[in-house]
Amino acid sequence: MRVILFSLLPVLLSRGLLAAAAATPASDPCAKVAGLPLVNPQDAIACQKSFPFNETLRQNVLSVVSRVFDFYTFEDFYLKSPPPFQDSTTDIRAQIKRINSTQYATDYDFNMDLWDFTLQLNDGHTRWIPNCYQTYQHILPAPVVILGNDIFIAPNSVEFLSQLGPKFLRFFEEKGFDWKRLAGARVLTIGNLPAWEYIDKIAHTVSGNFLDHNVRVNSAVSSYRIVNSNFSQNIGDIAGRSFLTHTSLEFTLIPVNSTTPECVHVPFVAAYIGAPFTDQSSYWANNCAANNRTNGLDRRSGVSPGSGSGPGLARAALLDPFTHPRIVAGLSDALMPTLSPTNGSTGSVKSFILPGSKTGVMFVGSFLGNYTQFPIDVEAAVNEFKASGVTNLVIDVTSNGGGFICLAMFLHQYLGGLEAGASGFNTTSRANLLAQKIVEAEIAQGLNASFSKYSPDNWAFSNNTHMPLNHNYLNSTVPHFVNGRSDPTSQRFTDLCPAPVVRFPDTPPFDLSKVVIVGNALCASACAQFATVMFERHQTKIVTFGGDLSRPIEFKGMAGSQVLEWAELDSEIKTAGLKNDPLAPPDLLVNANMRHNWRTAYSFLDEKTPIQYRSERSQYRFPYTAETYMNPQKVWTFIEQKFFD
């Protein structure tokens, strides 16, 4: 199967800003790579570095970033991150001050520094994303995997990467580099470091997204997943970085059928995924300058950026692959499940019945996609499981990046039945002064949930009764301190979810002691909330594959409660009529996104601790093997044998 996605950004941009930011070199480095789908990374980097540093842009960007952090629920936790997450500790305001005083040669250098700082917060909900420098995807034709406790070039890398097409193959043929012979090689060193040390370095500096270091170790390597309803393979952070930085990577490895170590310099290729351009000027205009989707709009005017006119359903997800696509290759035919899918396998849920008809598998690749279809698919799969005599259930959440919070809560409610009670977590949002003004303004104007995420009628009280439209939940009298700092925080509230189109069963459709959740701990956001509620409410067994087996690993990757993209927050401010307030951030002048974690969810077992910071380690650990590392069906069969036979 071949799945290749390309991102095309709008081309409605400011020429005046371009004149302020663009360089005018004698030879245009962007013209050299214009129109080429694959280029040498050094040539792409030369184009991206051709725009000189601009102080006006720095002040604009840092004003937005700093004021978005005012809404960031976990800011004060970073002053002294609780164990075992200490490696994320940083002073966010001190970092912004440092970036504001650092001298940079190019706009690339400034954005790289800001990208690294927010990336290393290890919170995939909170990130500076400069689209100007996300236009190329690094691809190394040597994806890395962990088999047992050793490091290898993925044995299936030829089948995997050959799907990228003849231009990809020809790029390396013209270089005279035989990457195919590296498939299956055992790796001894990477980048002049022992292989494990290099993976740790990538997990510390490049992977981001997840608080737990060992979860980031799994992010560094290749894994299977579902993207856009298709089985696919992720190349991993070592071989597929988002920011262009390297031209090659040195390996010491032992090829298959050899016993002799050899040193190999493996070249990267830069694959273009941005908007078309012909030269430096059009590169900036089409990829770097703010466009009509960058900033928010006043929803009272009846128009909102993105889709529809309203604020939409609450999401907790890594970057949405539908709006921030990357080149993706499908899982090769030899590794695809040979079982016939059950009913209800049309979207991000793929369900199967293992031979013997005792164990059903529900691979939940995402909680995004078609909101209405997801419950229908779950019900259809469960009905077929029951009709076939299935008594055991495996739920695979490998590389599930999250999605709609209400779909995660639906899946728990459906599996737990109505007798399990409400699924939602108690949550809070940060009550900074501008947030308080937003809620006050919306109450005064009578703006309901169709206009704003801040509107009280989006939410329920902790007892699941609907908040009235005039209830100011940010007006809390309870003092809240984090690491010795006063951090004004809202009253506790929970999600109101639209009624699904299917009926919840009264009792669990399966004995919950015979349900196992399996994955690689890259279970983020809404996925982490699903896994947490299953574990905390029902003691569901959770199995994690991969990682460094000598270290513990958290079963949930990242568990903030809700993310707001920059345009969404800006729309909240404008809809409240507060864009001219002294506390409000300006419109961005560049094509970028400063997303942030907007709500905190609290553990059922410890109402004082956000689930983001509650250490809940995987109960069962297994290594990937040459048979299971990229073969979902063999993983499921292994789980059936270990837990149900």
Side-chain angles (χ1 to χ4, degrees):
M1 184 193 312
R2 183 179 178 185
V3 185
I4 298 181
L5 309 177
F6 292 91
S7 172
L8 293 179
L9 304 174
V11 191
L12 300 173
L13 303 156
S14 163
R15 298 287 175 178
L17 178 61
L18 169 62
T24 55
S27 67
D28 185 340
C30 296
K32 181 178 180 180
V33 295
L36 300 177
L38 301 170
V39 300
N40 291 314
Q42 59 267 33
D43 294 332
I45 293 171
C47 171
Q48 292 184 339
K49 284 194 169 187
S50 68
F51 303 102
F53 171 73
N54 183 286
E55 185 63 39
T56 298
L57 295 184
R58 169 160 67 179
Q59 294 309 313
N60 172 257
V61 166
L62 290 186
S63 180
V64 170
V65 169
S66 178
R67 297 182 192 193
V68 168
F69 272 120
D70 291 342
F71 293 82
Y72 181 38
T73 59
F74 297 128
E75 177 181 351
D76 290 337
F77 284 90
Y78 279 88
L79 294 169
K80 187 178 180 181
S81 296
F85 311 114
Q86 302 96 317
D87 67 339
S88 295
T89 294
T90 191
D91 185 328
I92 288 173
R93 299 297 165 172
Q95 288 284 0
I96 294 173
K97 184 177 180 180
R98 176 190 62 78
I99 294 170
N100 195 35
S101 62
T102 300
Q103 293 185 351
Y104 300 100
T106 71
D107 187 65
Y108 168 102
D109 297 320
F110 163 66
N111 279 280
M112 181 71 180
D113 197 3
L114 187 54
W115 163 272
D116 282 344
F117 150 54
T118 59
L119 177 81
Q120 290 167 22
L121 294 174
N122 300 319
D123 178 356
H125 281 178
T126 306
R127 181 81 64 79
W128 170 250
I129 303 158
N131 293 322
C132 185
Y133 305 108
Q134 304 288 291
T135 54
Y136 285 92
Q137 181 177 339
H138 249 150
I139 300 176
L140 189 77
V144 173
V145 295
I146 303 170
L147 304 181
N149 214 32
D150 291 319
I151 315 300
F152 294 85
I153 305 299
N156 74 318
S157 57
V158 174
E159 297 83 358
F160 169 39
L161 294 175
S162 292
Q163 296 177 77
L164 298 184
K167 291 182 180 178
F168 177 85
L169 300 176
R170 189 161 56 249
F171 180 88
F172 291 101
E173 288 172 0
E174 291 174 355
K175 285 183 171 293
F177 182 76
D178 183 8
W179 58 274
K180 296 181 180 180
R181 74 180 188 88
L182 305 180
R186 184 183 175 195
V187 178
L188 306 178
T189 71
I190 310 175
N192 295 314
L193 292 173
W196 270 111
E197 285 188 26
Y198 187 82
I199 289 178
D200 281 337
K201 177 182 176 182
I202 293 297
H204 183 66
T205 61
V206 173
S207 294
N209 289 328
F210 308 104
L211 277 179
D212 182 58
H213 179 88
N214 213 3
V215 175
R216 300 196 301 272
V217 165
N218 266 349
S219 179
V221 299
S222 186
S223 59
Y224 68 81
R225 60 180 179 173
I226 288 178
V227 174
N228 295 350
S229 303
N230 297 300
F231 282 91
S232 67
Q233 183 171 343
N234 175 24
I235 197 169
D237 300 328
I238 293 173
R241 308 177 191 204
S242 296
F243 223 105
L244 290 182
T245 55
H246 287 61
T247 59
S248 65
L249 190 58
E250 181 181 311
F251 289 79
T252 303
L253 47 75
I254 303 175
V256 173
N257 299 323
S258 174
T259 58
T260 304
E262 57 180 272
C263 180
V264 181
H265 288 267
V266 183
F268 279 96
V269 60
Y272 192 67
I273 53 176
F277 67 97
T278 56
D279 54 17
Q280 185 192 52
S281 175
S282 58
Y283 178 90
W284 182 273
N286 296 353
N287 293 286
C288 307
N291 58 48
N292 62 356
R293 296 174 64 90
T294 301
N295 298 297
L297 295 173
D298 186 340
R299 295 192 184 104
R300 295 172 300 181
S301 68
V303 182
S304 179
S307 59
S309 60
L313 293 163
R315 290 177 298 106
L318 301 180
L319 282 176
D320 186 346
F322 297 100
T323 60
H324 196 79
R326 286 287 183 257
I327 295 174
V328 179
L331 199 60
S332 59
D333 291 340
L335 299 172
M336 287 285 291
T338 58
L339 303 166
S340 297
T342 69
N343 294 326
S345 296
T346 63
S348 59
V349 178
K350 307 294 182 188
S351 298
F352 305 88
I353 298 174
L354 297 184
S357 298
K358 294 298 182 185
T359 301
V361 175
M362 192 177 290
F363 186 2
V364 184
S366 170
F367 289 100
L368 286 168
N370 188 316
Y371 186 91
T372 303
Q373 189 64 38
F374 186 98
I376 295 171
D377 286 348
V378 169
E379 180 183 60
V382 169
N383 286 344
E384 187 167 340
F385 289 162
K386 299 293 286 184
S388 301
V390 165
T391 56
N392 312 313
L393 179 62
V394 175
I395 303 173
D396 192 341
V397 293
T398 298
S399 298
N400 182 318
F404 294 114
I405 296 170
C406 285
L407 289 184
M409 296 303 99
F410 163 82
L411 184 57
H412 164 257
Q413 188 82 75
Y414 198 91
L415 295 176
L418 290 174
E419 71 177 30
S423 298
F425 289 92
N426 275 329
T427 70
T428 58
S429 65
R430 207 172 189 193
N432 66 74
L433 289 177
L434 184 56
Q436 292 179 43
K437 290 182 179 183
I438 291 172
V439 174
E440 290 168 359
E442 290 179 346
I443 290 174
Q445 296 176 71
L447 299 178
N448 61 24
S450 65
F451 289 92
S452 170
K453 287 181 167 65
Y454 269 105
S455 174
D457 71 335
N458 282 288
W459 315 115
F461 295 104
S462 295
N463 63 2
N464 288 301
T465 59
H466 197 159
M467 275 189 191
L469 187 60
N470 63 353
H471 179 74
N472 190 338
Y473 59 95
L474 284 192
N475 185 13
S476 176
T477 59
V478 179
H480 186 254
F481 292 86
V482 177
N483 284 322
R485 283 189 178 178
S486 175
D487 190 15
T489 299
S490 73
Q491 301 167 19
R492 300 281 173 113
F493 59 95
T494 191
D495 290 272
L496 281 173
C497 295
V501 295
V502 304
R503 183 185 180 278
F504 289 114
D506 293 325
T507 59
F510 302 98
D511 179 348
L512 293 177
S513 69
K514 295 185 177 180
V515 175
V516 173
I517 297 174
V518 61
N520 57 356
L522 302 179
C523 173
S525 309
C527 178
Q529 292 191 44
F530 165 71
T532 299
V533 72
M534 291 293 291
F535 175 74
E536 293 190 352
R537 291 281 192 91
H538 311 293
Q539 297 74 55
T540 302
K541 299 179 183 70
I542 299 183
V543 179
T544 299
F545 279 81
D548 182 347
L549 297 177
S550 68
R551 301 174 178 174
I553 192 169
E554 303 289 317
F555 68 70
K556 57 182 184 289
M558 179 263 291
S561 182
Q562 185 176 348
V563 64
L564 284 190
E565 312 298 342
W566 158 245
E568 293 177 308
L569 176 60
D570 194 37
S571 291
E572 296 290 325
I573 295 167
K574 290 174 177 175
T575 301
L578 294 169
K579 188 62 176 180
N580 293 325
D581 188 277
L583 298 174
D587 277 5
L588 273 173
L589 299 178
V590 293
N591 179 15
N593 181 15
M594 181 60 206
R595 65 194 331 241
H596 75 287
N597 191 77
W598 181 57
R599 282 199 290 150
T600 297
Y602 292 86
S603 167
F604 291 109
L605 303 180
D606 179 2
E607 288 279 336
K608 295 182 179 180
T609 303
I611 57 175
Q612 174 88 330
Y613 286 102
R614 181 175 172 83
S615 178
E616 292 179 310
R617 290 172 171 171
S618 187
Q619 307 151 291
Y620 304 94
R621 299 282 306 280
F622 297 103
Y624 282 115
T625 66
E627 289 71 38
T628 60
Y629 80 99
M630 211 62 67
N631 192 313
Q633 186 170 328
K634 289 192 175 179
V635 168
W636 307 332
T637 300
F638 176 88
I639 294 298
E640 181 183 46
Q641 294 169 349
K642 282 287 184 182
F643 290 90
F644 303 132
D645 284 356

